Amino acid sequence: MIRAIFFSIFDVHEGPKVLHQVPADSIAPSPGSSQIPLFHFPSISSYIIPRPEFCSKLITFCTPVHRVLCRPVCLQSSSYPRNAYTFSIALVLDASTPFASYATVTLKLASLLQTLEEQSRFLSRDGSAPNTGKIYALCEILLEDLNNYCESMIPIDDSNTLNIKLFPTYPPPPPLYPYQVPLSTVRLESLTDPNWDLTMLRVLPYIDGINSVKQISLLADADYKLVRKAIEHLLYYGCLLLLDIFSFGASYGPTAELASFVEDTEMQEECASYVALPSMDTNAKTPQSGPVSGFQLVELYLKLRQGQTVKNFYVENVEMMDKIDARRFITFGVIKGFLYRIHRYAIATSHTSRRKREHKTKSKQKANLSTAVDTLGEDNDADSHLLQLEKFLDGTHCFDEICTELMISEQQLVSRLKAFSDVQIICR
């Protein structure tokens, strides 16, 4: 929120001086006023009206409570007293307010006033008393519109109109990895138009909560880096959530947030409508959701535990899961935060794979020449696969990441890990 806007100039007799301020007396109180200013203007005047070397640059600084943004302008001309006219329009915010979007407003506002001054001496010829006239009205409307509507359109004269909008500033998106699965939180197809980025338009049909980022790039036949940028853009604006790759071999565990799901009947109803499998009505031939009670869902979520795969969980509760989509059942818990994925990591000693390769080399030397020739291609392929896998065996790469990078299934990964000795698989 903007606390104040004020317009200052360098007066040839008085030095830096506040001409217009909104609210009144918020920066430089008039004589006899009892209002306490937001800060002491003389102590910061050298930043508002600085030396010419610092003009035409965004200046931002903090007082103990507030942040001030300004872009001083110094115009050189023999028509001005002392051959120069220096002015500055400044915005005052709370010190804790994110100011990136307000910086853009400050730069645009200063640029417009500079153009008006160069065209028609709009500022220097304004003989209005302090806190009156067009410049004061501009500051007043701007403060009210930006605080209430986050945008403003102010006609200046017949040829110029000020159009300003405050765009929201979001935190940077979380890191995006090839093995993560994006899930849309809005109807992306309703937001698109033909003028959107071509990569974005190719990517959107494959964002379904099932395909990973790398799979999307392959299905869309687009460069991975461009696909990643497109998905990061959607993440920045809150259009996507990131999930793990769903598989029946994965394990999930409940968090402390499960207690809120047990007590929240509305969330249970939301979950029931989300996870229920559609059943086919033989008369109407239309899919209808089968009944799933909140008590059933709570009971099922409480049965999830570490060391148990989704497949085993499903087999143990096949009757209760008969009308439930297993993927949506797990996804709902992850989205709401009362389920977490238990990842698997492989750790091997640094010399394990080297010993294995040396052993294979010695075995090849002892083998029959004809047999070695026949199997040479297969051995080379096996060695290359082991070399690719070796760099992931430091305990920092989960199975999802390894499978995505090597383009193999989890079953194939486990099979290849058997070629290494002293490999430990940990879950966390």
Side-chain angles (χ1 to χ4, degrees), residues 17 49 71 114 190 233 243 287 324:
K17 178 182 179 181
I49 305 294
R71 179 184 176 269
Q114 179 179 349
S190 65
H233 190 77
L243 305 174
I324 295 176

Side-chain angles (χ1 to χ4, degrees), residues 89-276:
I89 187 163
L91 275 61
V92 182
L93 316 172
D94 290 330
S96 59
T97 301
F99 64 93
S101 56
Y102 293 98
T104 305
V105 170
T106 304
L107 292 172
K108 185 173 183 179
L109 190 57
S111 178
L112 174 70
L113 293 180
Q114 179 179 349
T115 302
L116 291 174
E117 176 62 20
E118 291 172 343
Q119 288 178 351
S120 61
R121 298 293 190 268
F122 177 79
L123 303 175
S124 58
R125 291 181 180 175
D126 182 38
S128 304
N131 298 330
T132 60
K134 292 183 178 181
I135 303 175
Y136 175 77
L138 174 69
C139 297
E140 192 174 32
I141 296 172
L142 195 63
L143 178 68
E144 183 177 353
D145 286 356
L146 291 182
N147 281 342
N148 293 327
Y149 312 110
C150 295
E151 60 182 359
S152 182
M153 185 180 72
I154 307 172
I156 305 297
D157 52 32
D158 295 337
S159 305
N160 298 283
T161 301
L162 173 63
N163 290 283
I164 284 183
K165 184 172 183 177
L166 276 174
F167 291 94
T169 302
Y170 300 103
L176 183 64
Y177 300 104
Y179 58 89
Q180 290 179 312
V181 177
L183 174 69
S184 61
T185 58
V186 296
R187 294 187 178 275
L188 295 173
E189 62 275 6
S190 65
L191 303 177
T192 60
D193 63 63
N195 296 321
W196 271 34
D197 178 72
L198 294 178
T199 303
M200 183 73 77
L201 294 175
R202 298 185 69 169
V203 162
L204 292 183
Y206 303 104
I207 298 178
D208 55 4
I210 300 175
N211 298 319
S212 66
V213 177
K214 189 164 186 176
Q215 287 175 321
I216 291 172
S217 68
L218 294 174
L219 293 171
D221 192 21
D223 181 71
Y224 170 73
K225 292 182 180 179
L226 297 178
V227 171
R228 180 176 176 173
K229 276 192 174 182
I231 294 177
E232 284 178 339
H233 190 77
L234 294 174
L235 278 173
Y236 178 77
Y237 287 104
C239 299
L240 299 178
L241 292 174
L242 293 177
L243 305 174
D244 298 302
I245 296 175
F246 174 80
S247 71
F248 280 92
S251 298
Y252 292 85
T255 69
E257 296 297 325
L258 184 58
S260 61
F261 176 76
V262 174
E263 299 172 355
D264 194 336
T265 56
E266 290 185 3
M267 190 186 299
Q268 293 173 14
E269 292 175 2
E270 180 187 357
C271 180
S273 63
Y274 181 75
V275 306

Side-chain angles (χ1 to χ4, degrees), residues 51-100:
R51 292 182 298 174
E53 293 83 359
F54 295 98
C55 291
S56 300
K57 296 179 177 65
L58 177 67
I59 296 177
T60 174
F61 59 91
C62 287
T63 65
V65 182
H66 299 94
R67 180 183 295 275
V68 182
L69 292 86
C70 64
R71 179 184 176 269
V73 177
C74 180
L75 299 177
Q76 306 286 340
S77 175
S78 58
S79 61
Y80 296 125
R82 295 190 181 181
N83 300 323
Y85 180 73
T86 305
F87 70 90
S88 178
I89 187 163
L91 275 61
V92 182
L93 316 172
D94 290 330
S96 59
T97 301
F99 64 93

Side-chain angles (χ1 to χ4, degrees), residues 331-347:
T331 299
F332 186 87
V334 173
I335 292 173
K336 296 299 183 180
F338 57 80
L339 284 186
Y340 72 96
R341 171 73 181 277
I342 303 167
H343 286 283
R344 292 197 290 172
Y345 300 82
I347 301 178

